[in-house]
Amino acid sequence: MPNTAAPVMRPVSAEPAEVIVHAALNAEYRHLILHAGPRATAARPGQFFQLLCPAPPGEAPFLRRPMSLYGADPAAGTVEFLYKVTGAGTRGLSTLAPGDELDIMGPLGRGFTLDCGWRNIVVVGRGAGLATLAPLARAARAAGIGVTAVLSARRPELVVSDALFRDQGAEVIAVTDQEGTSGPAHVERLLRGLVAEGRANAFLTCGSARLLRVQQRLAREFGIPGQVAMEQQMACGLGMCFCCVRDFEVGGETVHKRVCWDGPVFDMLEAVA
C-alpha cells in the first residue's frame, strides 16, 4: 500500500500568468511563454505546473492539466511550456492569445539534481521528454557541466529542443524513426561510445521506456548514476489523491510512490520501465 502519511508542504503558488508568446513550433508542438511571479519563475528542471486550461467551445475540462517546465527565467520573469494538442484541456490551451491570462499552480514535484562532481552528463529524451529535459541545458552550463543530448523523434522536423541545447554549448545527437537511427540497439552503441570516452558521468532521461531500459543496463554495467522523469496521468498534482502511484524497486522490494509528490524525477535504477 502507498504511504499515507501527511506530506510536508512545499512552497507552491496559484496565480494568474499573462501570455506573452504563444506560437506553433512545428506541426505538432506549441510554445507558450508566460509572465509569472518569482515563485513560479524559480522552478527547477524536472518540476511541473498544474494549468487551469480554458474551456474550448462545447467542452468543459474538469481538472487542471499537468505540464512539465520547458524553461524558467527569474530575471525575465517568465516560465515556458511546450505541448501538443491531444485533448479538451490542451485544445482550450491552444485558444490563448498574447495578453490573455492563465491560472497556473506550481512549481510542483521534485526535479533533477546536478552533482557538482559531474563533468559530463548524457541527456536522453523522446516525445514529451524533449520538453521536460530542456531546462537541463541552461542548468548544466551554469554548473560547468558538459552535456551530450541524445534527442529522439519520429521525424527530423519533430526533434524539438535541439537548438536550445546547442545554444547552451551542448552536443546534440538527433535520432529518428524515419532515418532508422532511433532503435535501442543503435542508441546503446552511441551511449557505449560516450561512456568509453569518459563523457557519461550520469544519465538523465525522460520519454521512452525502451531507452530507459538501455540506460539502466549500462548504468548497472558501468556503475553510472542516473535520474528519470516519469510520465503519469495526474489529478491533484499535490500527492493527495494517489491517482499517479507507480511501482518502484527499492532495496530488492517493490514499493509504491506518487509520481507527482515523490517525483516526477526518480533514481533511474529504481524505476520499473
Side-chain angles (χ1 to χ4, degrees):
M1 294 293 293
N3 179 10
T4 56
V8 177
M9 295 308 296
R10 303 172 190 154
V12 173
S13 67
E15 60 180 273
E18 181 185 357
V19 177
I20 300 174
V21 175
H22 193 194
L25 195 63
N26 56 34
E28 290 194 353
Y29 290 94
R30 297 185 64 83
H31 186 199
L32 179 63
I33 304 178
L34 307 172
H35 184 267
R39 185 165 286 173
T41 61
R44 298 186 296 109
Q47 290 189 294
F48 70 98
F49 286 76
Q50 292 280 81
L51 309 183
L52 187 59
C53 301
E59 299 182 273
F62 181 68
L63 298 171
R64 289 176 180 261
R65 294 301 189 266
M67 192 75 64
S68 61
L69 179 74
Y70 184 61
D73 188 336
T78 59
V79 290
E80 303 180 39
F81 302 97
L82 201 65
Y83 72 95
K84 292 198 297 185
V85 177
T86 58
T90 46
R91 277 193 291 274
L93 201 63
S94 70
T95 66
L96 292 171
D100 290 343
E101 285 191 343
L102 176 67
D103 188 298
I104 65 173
M105 183 173 70
L108 298 167
R110 301 179 186 273
F112 289 101
T113 301
L114 295 176
D115 190 318
C116 62
W118 295 339
R119 296 187 61 186
N120 296 280
I121 61 173
V122 179
V123 171
V124 182
R126 182 176 171 93
L130 298 177
T132 302
L133 296 168
L136 285 168
R138 179 180 292 182
R141 184 171 187 175
I145 300 171
V147 177
T148 302
V150 180
L151 307 180
S152 176
R154 296 195 311 278
R155 304 187 304 274
E157 66 271 21
L158 299 180
V159 180
V160 297
S161 304
D162 52 338
L164 189 153
F165 274 102
R166 288 192 179 97
D167 288 346
Q168 296 298 324
E171 178 186 349
V172 173
I173 303 172
V175 295
T176 68
D177 300 352
Q178 187 178 82
E179 298 167 314
T181 56
S182 62
H186 179 69
V187 172
E188 180 169 347
R189 286 193 293 271
L190 292 175
L191 298 182
R192 284 185 178 276
L194 294 171
V195 172
E197 294 168 7
R199 297 167 57 195
N201 298 134
F203 293 124
L204 292 89
T205 190
C206 180
S208 171
R210 296 191 307 160
L211 298 184
L212 170 59
R213 288 191 288 270
V214 169
Q215 293 169 88
Q216 288 175 324
R217 184 164 60 251
L218 295 178
R220 293 187 175 98
E221 181 178 343
F222 295 104
I224 298 173
Q227 298 168 37
V228 56
M230 305 295 287
E231 300 172 282
Q232 188 73 359
Q233 289 186 336
M234 298 178 186
C236 72
L238 296 169
M240 305 302 292
C241 69
F242 291 88
C243 173
C244 61
V245 172
R246 290 186 63 153
D247 291 344
F248 293 83
E249 295 292 335
V250 181
E253 297 183 357
T254 299
V255 300
H256 309 298
K257 295 186 179 184
R258 296 161 291 179
V259 171
C260 74
W261 187 262
D262 301 303
V265 177
F266 296 90
D267 184 320
M268 190 177 72
L269 293 181
E270 294 180 355
V272 177

